[in-house]
Amino acid sequence: MDQEAEVPSYFVCSISMQIMRDPVTVCTGVTYERESIEKWIYKLRKNTCPATMQVLHNRQLTPNHTLRRLIQQWSIANSSMGVPRITPPDDPLDTKHLNGLLRDIEACPSPPFLLKALKRLRALADKNDTNKRCIASSKAPAALISIIESQSAEADETGCCCDVAVACEEALRILHSLHLPDEALDPLVTPRCLASLGSILKRGTSNSRLYAAMLLQKASMKSVEQFVMNGNDDLMEGLLELVTEEVCQKATVAALQVLTAMAINSQRSRMKAVEAGAVSILIESLPEQTAERKSSCERMLCLLDVLCRCSEGRVAMADHAMGIPAISKKMLRVSQSATEKAVGILWSLCRFCPSERILKEMLEVGTVIKLLMLLQADCTPKTKWKATEMLRLHEKGETPAPQLKEDLCALSLFATFDKAQDCI
């Protein structure tokens, strides 16, 4: 019977429980597989040592060359017993080589040469996550942002140039792929950079617009106040154009998330979005949002809900011929979150700008029936309360609808609205 080689315990990573190929030691003195500990620190955002639970005062990972050689020698000596040979990992990114490449990028006099240097940098970043983190912690993000600012400005002044556009797209692509630390996101929300990204959103290539939207999404999550303060009209218009044109699902979702963050945190941004036609754009885009596009549909309804917090947004919603029908159609059909946002939008209309026209239209398009069904559905107490309040308005309206009472009977809702509220 073939014997199996016994694996020394110190060859095994305590996270992955696999033999280590690239062992690295953290500041607590414990050694892990590089890929596993990097995932723990950077992806899961943990700041403790997995084995000892001590706080990691720094994120430095020191290669354990001695242990790596021992593991490789052991795997060779036991290969006859079925142990696979442990091959050494790729050499880590040479800091001197990276700095030299960054100097070349900063000194490139023209877009064709700049593009070649950027492609070399992207090749390094695409090798592995370790290289990405090394590049992200260097001066590369600042250099790439500088390229985006200068190249987009040059394109605006001289018109569309293929080499300029491609160089800008390459810089955006690299930035998007990096695991950027929080401090590297700060330059993205300066007035100059936001102006450049706004210009790219309106006039860039499809890929450039996607990468710009994804970067803006990261930046808005990190420092939304600076983002709102430094944003310009081009930025707002560019984001809305992404929603209208649907470059791709990722770009649409990113644009909606950025617009929502701006609108939630600033009354001025809500006003600017409404003035830019956001309400009409969202209403007219809603019918195209199928079950497969649940994420974008939920975000559109969320943004509309936020925009209806200001009177201008509510007026724009009430005046749009498709407004109430489009919102009503998404109730009970997409997700619980979408239903709750749709109810919130309609409640804002009924609560702050009530009119017989709105109540009548809700009845005609079937909104009232859906509100009645909602009272028996599984949703939050707040949503049921809003539904009940809207039904009360219909009951007390100048033209109480006989159909409303018929619907109550048809759905076996014989309780009064007071009892309906009690069950909430």
Side-chain angles (χ1 to χ4, degrees), residues 190-320:
T190 60
R192 185 181 178 189
C193 188
L194 288 178
S196 296
L197 291 173
S199 176
I200 291 166
L201 287 175
K202 295 186 72 174
R203 292 175 281 276
T205 63
S206 296
N207 284 335
S208 293
R209 296 171 77 189
L210 168 62
Y211 298 138
M214 301 291 279
L215 284 170
L216 288 168
Q217 184 181 18
K218 293 179 183 177
S220 66
M221 292 170 65
K222 197 271 177 181
S223 50
V224 68
E225 291 181 2
Q226 287 293 108
F227 194 95
V228 168
M229 184 171 65
N230 295 332
N232 59 8
D233 291 342
D234 270 0
L235 187 66
M236 180 75 72
E237 291 169 8
L239 290 167
L240 288 172
E241 283 182 18
L242 271 187
V243 176
T244 306
E245 297 173 16
E246 292 193 342
V247 172
C248 69
Q249 181 74 353
K250 283 185 178 180
T252 300
V253 169
L256 288 167
Q257 188 164 333
V258 175
L259 287 166
T260 303
M262 294 171 70
I264 286 175
N265 289 276
S266 166
Q267 172 74 12
R268 176 172 164 268
S269 293
R270 285 198 287 274
M271 297 275 291
K272 288 178 68 175
V274 173
E275 290 170 3
V279 173
S280 294
I281 288 170
L282 294 168
I283 290 172
E284 290 161 17
S285 300
L286 267 177
E288 305 300 323
Q289 305 308 312
T290 59
E292 292 75 23
R293 297 178 174 182
K294 184 177 77 169
S295 180
S296 56
C297 183
E298 289 175 343
R299 282 174 169 77
M300 284 182 182
L301 290 168
C302 181
L303 179 53
L304 279 170
D305 188 27
V306 175
L307 295 179
C308 284
R309 295 177 188 176
C310 67
S311 59
E312 293 81 3
R314 292 190 291 271
V315 170
M317 170 65 70
D319 289 346
H320 200 293

Side-chain angles (χ1 to χ4, degrees), residues 17-262:
M17 302 308 294
Q18 302 292 323
I19 299 174
M20 289 181 280
R21 179 170 172 262
D22 186 12
V24 291
T25 304
V26 297
C27 61
T28 59
V30 183
T31 299
Y32 303 96
E33 173 62 33
R34 181 187 291 275
E35 183 180 350
S36 299
I37 191 62
E38 284 184 344
K39 180 179 178 181
W40 173 267
I41 294 173
Y42 297 105
K43 188 173 182 179
L44 300 180
R45 297 184 178 277
K46 304 288 187 179
N47 67 342
T48 55
C49 172
T52 65
M53 296 311 294
Q54 291 177 267
V55 175
L56 297 174
H57 298 293
N58 65 68
R59 296 182 176 184
Q60 184 175 353
L61 305 177
T62 306
N64 192 327
H65 297 296
T66 302
L67 183 57
R68 183 199 294 180
R69 283 194 297 270
L70 288 173
I71 292 173
Q72 288 169 4
Q73 291 169 2
W74 174 84
S75 69
I76 293 170
N78 291 276
S79 58
S80 61
M81 302 177 69
V83 175
R85 291 198 175 191
I86 306 298
T87 56
D90 296 332
D91 291 332
L93 182 59
D94 184 2
T95 305
K96 289 183 179 179
H97 175 61
L98 175 60
N99 290 336
L101 181 54
L102 292 177
R103 283 194 295 271
D104 291 343
I105 289 173
E106 291 170 350
C108 282
S110 62
F113 293 102
L114 175 61
L115 184 57
K116 288 181 180 179
L118 288 171
K119 286 184 176 179
R120 286 163 56 199
L121 181 62
R122 176 160 64 88
L124 289 175
D126 288 346
K127 261 192 171 183
N128 52 56
D129 284 348
T130 303
N131 280 7
K132 283 186 174 71
R133 292 191 180 93
C134 183
I135 294 170
S137 61
S138 69
K139 295 180 180 179
L144 293 169
I145 290 172
S146 177
I147 288 168
I148 292 166
E149 293 173 349
S150 60
Q151 296 295 308
S152 62
E154 182 178 337
D156 284 344
E157 291 173 5
T158 62
C160 183
C161 170
C162 182
D163 287 335
V164 169
V166 175
C168 197
E169 179 182 318
E170 196 67 42
L172 284 164
R173 180 176 178 175
I174 297 169
L175 261 181
H176 168 62
S177 71
L178 298 178
H179 306 287
L180 292 173
D182 286 348
E183 58 270 18
L185 294 172
D186 290 336
L188 287 172
V189 295
T190 60
R192 185 181 178 189
C193 188
L194 288 178
S196 296
L197 291 173
S199 176
I200 291 166
L201 287 175
K202 295 186 72 174
R203 292 175 281 276
T205 63
S206 296
N207 284 335
S208 293
R209 296 171 77 189
L210 168 62
Y211 298 138
M214 301 291 279
L215 284 170
L216 288 168
Q217 184 181 18
K218 293 179 183 177
S220 66
M221 292 170 65
K222 197 271 177 181
S223 50
V224 68
E225 291 181 2
Q226 287 293 108
F227 194 95
V228 168
M229 184 171 65
N230 295 332
N232 59 8
D233 291 342
D234 270 0
L235 187 66
M236 180 75 72
E237 291 169 8
L239 290 167
L240 288 172
E241 283 182 18
L242 271 187
V243 176
T244 306
E245 297 173 16
E246 292 193 342
V247 172
C248 69
Q249 181 74 353
K250 283 185 178 180
T252 300
V253 169
L256 288 167
Q257 188 164 333
V258 175
L259 287 166
T260 303
M262 294 171 70

